[in-house]
Amino acid sequence: GEVHYKPNARPEVRSKYSVVSVASGEGLVSTFKEMGVDYVVSGGQSMNPSTEDFINGFNQLNADNIVVFPNNKNITLAAQQAAKIYKESNVIIVPTVTIAEGFSALTMLDLNEEPEELLENLKEVISNVTSVNVTYSIRDTNIGGVEVHKDDHIGIMNGKIVASNKKRMDTLKAIFKQAGLDRKDIVTIIYGKDAPEKEVNEVSKYLKKYYSNIEVE
């Protein structure tokens, strides 16, 4: 006999919790699924999902509570709108504004807790996360006293530009100096498909050498 498989059939048994997260890129999507996310809404920095995208996701779940990780400031509003509209579950929006916050919160997610406690604990986790990203500049500018040149690699920490250098590695080193790494336990490196493996290893080696208290993943 043939097996008829509906890829996203709504589960028949209602659970206490379902987890929804926003991510883009195969690597992150599969990582989040391995971490227990039931539905990934695709989107991110340059492609913000709509309220409808969230509702479509919620409709494929069957849970008393749906825990949502928007992972981006611009996406939180659409998630909140969807939470208001959707009546079949209690929708809990976890205020993650970066992928790093979402990732950290997911590692600490305890589905044995009651909704209020769960949200409080995750907010606590998020408050201890420092999010850093490196991007490159398309023009000369000066932001918050940081001199930025076209094609520089800009270092952004918790939403603020803190460093700018020709070389990506120099920018990362400058950020690490400012990130209070002596008070941190784990550094998670998330890199895009075009990032050279060699450079990722270099970052990892650098961290282990100068910040020996840190676990790098």
Side-chain angles (χ1 to χ4, degrees), residues 4 11 16 28 50-51 59 66 69-70 80 83-84 119-120 122 129 155 177 200 202:
H4 292 284
K16 183 171 179 177
L28 278 175
S50 64
T51 298
N59 281 333
I66 297 176
F69 297 89
Q80 285 166 342
K84 275 201 194 86
L119 185 58
E120 279 316 299
L122 293 181
V129 175
K177 277 202 180 71
V200 177
E202 197 185 334

Side-chain angles (χ1 to χ4, degrees), residues 1-186:
E2 285 177 50
V3 177
H4 292 284
Y5 173 65
K6 294 220 304 257
N8 277 324
R10 195 166 184 235
E12 281 175 25
V13 179
R14 193 164 176 86
S15 56
K16 183 171 179 177
Y17 287 109
S18 271
V19 182
V20 171
S21 180
V22 178
S24 66
E26 280 168 48
L28 278 175
V29 171
S30 59
T31 300
F32 280 175
K33 290 202 160 157
E34 280 160 24
M35 292 169 86
V37 173
D38 300 296
Y39 185 88
V40 176
V41 176
S42 79
Q45 198 55 44
S46 55
M47 189 184 71
N48 293 344
S50 64
T51 298
E52 199 178 348
D53 292 331
F54 281 101
I55 302 278
N56 290 342
F58 299 165
N59 281 333
Q60 296 181 26
L61 304 168
N62 185 5
D64 295 334
N65 302 283
I66 297 176
V67 184
V68 182
F69 297 89
N71 304 335
N72 186 305
K73 239 207 295 302
N74 303 332
I75 295 174
T76 309
L77 196 64
Q80 285 166 342
Q81 287 297 106
K84 275 201 194 86
I85 298 166
Y86 194 73
K87 296 286 178 253
E88 288 181 52
S89 307
N90 169 38
V91 180
I92 302 162
I93 309 287
V94 184
T96 51
V97 297
T98 62
I99 286 288
E101 289 182 355
F103 186 90
S104 301
L106 277 165
T107 60
M108 302 302 281
L109 180 62
D110 181 356
L111 296 180
N112 295 313
E113 295 170 347
E114 291 308 308
E116 293 75 25
E117 185 191 6
L118 180 131
L119 185 58
E120 279 316 299
N121 290 341
L122 293 181
K123 280 181 176 168
E124 173 74 17
V125 171
I126 294 164
S127 70
N128 289 314
V129 175
T130 298
S131 298
V132 159
N133 60 321
V134 174
T135 181
Y136 63 91
S137 172
I138 49 173
R139 59 191 169 91
D140 284 5
T141 181
N142 186 315
I143 306 175
V146 178
E147 192 71 37
V148 177
H149 300 287
K150 186 179 185 299
D151 299 331
D152 268 7
H153 286 95
I154 308 173
I156 299 166
M157 182 164 71
N158 292 340
K160 288 192 180 64
I161 292 185
V162 294
S164 182
N165 286 287
K166 277 273 166 278
K167 291 196 175 122
R168 204 161 21 193
M169 196 62 201
D170 290 343
T171 294
L172 274 166
K173 288 175 186 173
I175 297 176
F176 294 152
K177 277 202 180 71
Q178 298 179 58
L181 290 184
D182 49 335
R183 299 186 302 279
K184 301 287 182 188
D185 301 317
I186 297 172

